[in-house]
Amino acid sequence: MNKEKFTVIGAGLTGPLLATYLAQRGYSVEVFERRPDMRKESISAGRSINLALSARGNHALKEVGLYDKIKAITIPMKGRMIHDLNGSTHLQPYGQKENEVIFSVSRAQLNMELMTLAEETGNVNIRFNHHLLSADLDQNKLMFQSYDSLEEIELSFNRVIGCDGSASILRKSIVEKANAQYVKKPLGHGYKELTIPPRYSGKFQIEPNALHIWPRGNHMLIALPNNDYSFTCTLFFPMMGPTSFKTVKTKKNILDLFQSQFPDVIKLMPNLVEDFQKNPTGDLASVYCKPWHLGGKALLIGDAAHAVVPFFGQGMNASFQDCSTLANLMGQNENDWETIFKDFSSTQVENGHAIANMAIENYLEMRDHVNDPEYKKRRNVELKLERMFPGQFIPRYSMVSFHKIPYAEVYQQGEKQFKIISDVLMADPSGQSIDKAMVEKMLS
């Protein structure tokens, strides 16, 4: 076993995956998690119950040997099922190929499997109920509070990696010590989780192989399927304003909102009012930070480095790709941690910023544009171009969800392709005819 020892902060999704990558290379890893062990105690993750797993996340799971086990508990979603105000629905497929689907997966189940996999390496110890209070990056000291003993504990580290989420304590120390650029941009919209339970017969109430969206302009409701035949629904809604989480609180407020905006959902949610009033309201923000490291001793990864809003389904996938990228750099620069951390930060920062920006843009698309005739026309042209130029013209959603192309490249290519679509529609506003020679020239 390698004598090098790593300290990882956070045993959410990213921490155990990263610990496994390190452990499989012979490193000793100690993971500190502020929550109890969810495999032994029933706890809320405090975040979404299910997530969308796509190509980047699947690739990382394959690398550590967990893919087959996780795939067995996922539900494929082949597109967006749009629910109009009048109750009509239509499916907008994510791609044009059979394998271009994303997968709904239980956050808790995935988290538990990742922790168990990490521990089974024999090189990983997870210490629960340990909350990081501060990090001294000069003296290589970490101060924790133990929720078991209520004592403050000071521990030394060789190298520390922060997988401690959007409110990262380690990030605060790195920003201060490295004089890093850091900004947290609130979205102004929050979210609340609701539930569509199974039918009395024990089956799904609505189509299971789709991500359901009720787009309503400045807000929307979405639903992802679960293996118990329920759907986890999330209402994305303004935090403040005349119609917002601040004002919609009473039973009458809630029912009025749903009767006016989501009338077809009321009959699917017998516990709507109770869930709305009982479940917490979460806030949404994007984190932009640069750099993500301090020398060869401290590094940020996942949400700690680049928290994104959830509208491209890439928070987990981007974090898992971080782990895969870091592991690849380990292979190229064995034990040269100054270079590994520096190269990771320099390559991944722009990707983190790119997916943060694309996630915000996708929110506008999901809540507003999906039913716009102009959007539908552009989408039809986009799919035609993909068929005409396979491998050269790949829709942005497909580049993000079904490929492992760096997000920064996706963003640049997406901008270029947006202009191509605009030029096609300028030549023929119907989008029926496409000047192939013109597009070939623009793609070259």
Side-chain angles (χ1 to χ4, degrees):
M1 190 174 97
N2 197 308
K3 293 181 180 179
E4 185 94 46
K5 184 175 181 180
F6 280 81
T7 300
V8 170
I9 311 300
L13 298 170
T14 310
L17 177 64
L18 178 62
T20 299
Y21 273 110
L22 289 164
Q24 288 177 346
R25 283 159 178 76
Y27 297 106
S28 172
V29 187
E30 194 148 34
V31 181
F32 291 87
E33 168 57 44
R34 64 180 176 80
R35 299 171 300 169
D37 188 344
M38 61 167 56
R39 295 165 297 180
K40 298 176 181 176
E41 298 183 33
S42 178
I43 61 170
S44 168
R47 304 171 71 183
S48 56
I49 292 170
N50 50 13
L51 299 161
L53 185 61
S54 55
R56 298 165 201 267
N58 283 331
H59 177 74
L61 293 176
K62 287 174 184 176
E63 286 189 325
V64 296
L66 194 60
Y67 173 75
D68 289 339
K69 195 168 190 179
I70 297 305
K71 190 174 187 299
I73 61 169
T74 65
I75 299 174
M77 299 181 291
K78 56 191 175 185
R80 299 166 173 167
M81 186 68 78
I82 308 300
H83 294 251
D84 295 325
L85 193 55
N86 64 8
S88 64
T89 62
H90 65 277
L91 182 70
Q92 295 182 355
Y94 285 130
Q96 303 191 79
K97 301 170 186 171
E98 282 293 316
N99 64 340
E100 291 184 332
V101 297
I102 61 176
F103 299 88
S104 177
V105 65
S106 161
R107 176 190 287 272
Q109 279 184 277
L110 178 56
N111 202 162
M112 290 187 282
E113 293 291 355
L114 284 165
M115 288 191 289
T116 298
L117 178 71
E119 289 175 336
E120 285 175 348
T121 65
N123 290 350
V124 177
N125 177 41
I126 305 176
R127 297 175 65 171
F128 296 95
N129 294 314
H130 279 72
H131 175 50
L132 180 65
L133 298 175
S134 62
D136 183 337
L137 299 179
D138 288 316
Q139 301 298 319
N140 288 20
K141 302 285 187 183
L142 300 171
M143 182 65 74
F144 293 92
Q145 180 174 28
S146 166
Y147 290 152
D148 293 327
S149 66
L150 301 181
E151 294 177 337
E152 290 190 1
I153 304 168
E154 186 179 82
L155 297 169
S156 299
F157 69 86
N158 295 328
R159 306 192 196 283
V160 61
I161 302 180
C163 305
D164 46 343
S166 62
S168 171
I169 298 298
L170 185 64
R171 184 183 64 230
K172 183 173 181 291
S173 297
I174 289 178
V175 167
E176 290 173 356
K177 181 67 179 171
N179 196 25
Q181 301 169 29
Y182 165 69
V183 63
K184 188 172 185 177
K185 295 183 180 178
L187 184 66
H189 284 212
Y191 67 95
K192 187 178 290 285
E193 293 212 331
L194 305 165
T195 302
I196 295 176
R199 294 183 188 277
Y200 290 117
S201 61
K203 297 297 180 183
F204 289 105
Q205 292 202 61
I206 53 179
E207 167 62 45
N209 297 120
L211 189 154
H212 294 259
I213 305 178
W214 289 258
R216 298 296 184 262
N218 80 330
H219 56 277
M220 70 174 180
L221 182 73
I222 69 169
L224 275 72
N226 297 309
N227 281 316
D228 65 357
Y229 302 104
S230 69
F231 281 82
T232 300
C233 303
T234 309
L235 175 65
F236 296 100
F237 206 54
M239 293 294 285
M240 307 289 286
T243 305
S244 64
F245 281 125
K246 186 176 182 181
T247 60
V248 178
K249 291 184 176 179
T250 67
K251 178 178 180 179
K252 183 179 186 307
N253 295 156
I254 296 163
L255 290 175
D256 284 350
L257 171 66
F258 275 75
Q259 282 165 354
S260 66
Q261 299 297 310
F262 315 108
D264 57 327
V265 172
I266 295 176
K267 65 181 182 294
L268 304 175
M269 292 184 176
N271 300 317
L272 168 61
V273 174
E274 180 187 351
D275 286 349
F276 196 103
Q277 292 179 330
K278 178 186 69 178
N279 292 349
T281 301
D283 59 357
L284 296 167
S286 303
V287 166
Y288 297 83
C289 182
K290 179 182 180 180
W292 294 351
H293 73 296
L294 180 68
K297 69 165 67 175
L299 181 74
L300 300 173
I301 198 167
D303 282 356
H306 54 75
V308 300
V309 293
F311 306 112
F312 228 127
Q314 287 297 299
M316 167 184 63
N317 292 288
S319 298
F320 283 12
Q321 188 173 49
D322 281 349
C323 296
S324 178
T325 300
L326 186 63
N328 186 49
L329 288 168
M330 290 181 218
Q332 295 174 19
N333 307 277
E334 189 171 355
N335 291 328
D336 181 358
W337 293 102
E338 289 262 355
T339 299
I340 293 168
F341 285 5
K342 177 177 175 290
D343 287 356
F344 176 79
S345 186
S346 63
T347 58
Q348 290 299 89
V349 163
E350 62 176 353
N351 292 321
H353 291 182
I355 190 55
N357 292 334
M358 287 191 286
I360 293 170
E361 290 171 14
N362 217 46
Y363 183 35
L364 302 177
E365 179 177 307
M366 290 172 71
R367 77 185 198 196
D368 198 6
H369 300 162
V370 288
N371 266 340
D372 182 81
E374 188 63 24
Y375 166 82
K376 291 179 180 179
K377 189 194 296 184
R378 294 185 70 90
R379 177 62 172 161
N380 286 333
V381 170
E382 186 176 45
L383 296 176
K384 281 183 184 178
L385 289 168
E386 183 183 26
R387 292 193 295 271
M388 288 175 72
F389 302 96
Q392 281 184 277
F393 192 107
I394 306 170
R396 189 173 80 166
Y397 186 90
S398 297
M399 285 193 283
V400 167
S401 298
F402 309 131
H403 296 263
K404 301 190 298 294
I405 304 167
Y407 292 120
E409 289 182 30
V410 172
Y411 197 88
Q412 291 170 359
Q413 185 65 15
E415 293 290 294
K416 180 179 176 181
Q417 292 179 176
F418 188 89
K419 186 178 186 309
I420 292 173
I421 296 169
S422 296
D423 287 354
V424 167
L425 288 171
M426 191 177 295
D428 177 11
S430 72
Q432 295 303 308
S433 63
I434 295 175
D435 184 338
K436 190 172 183 179
M438 177 192 78
V439 176
E440 277 180 335
K441 187 176 180 182
M442 294 184 75
L443 282 172
S444 61

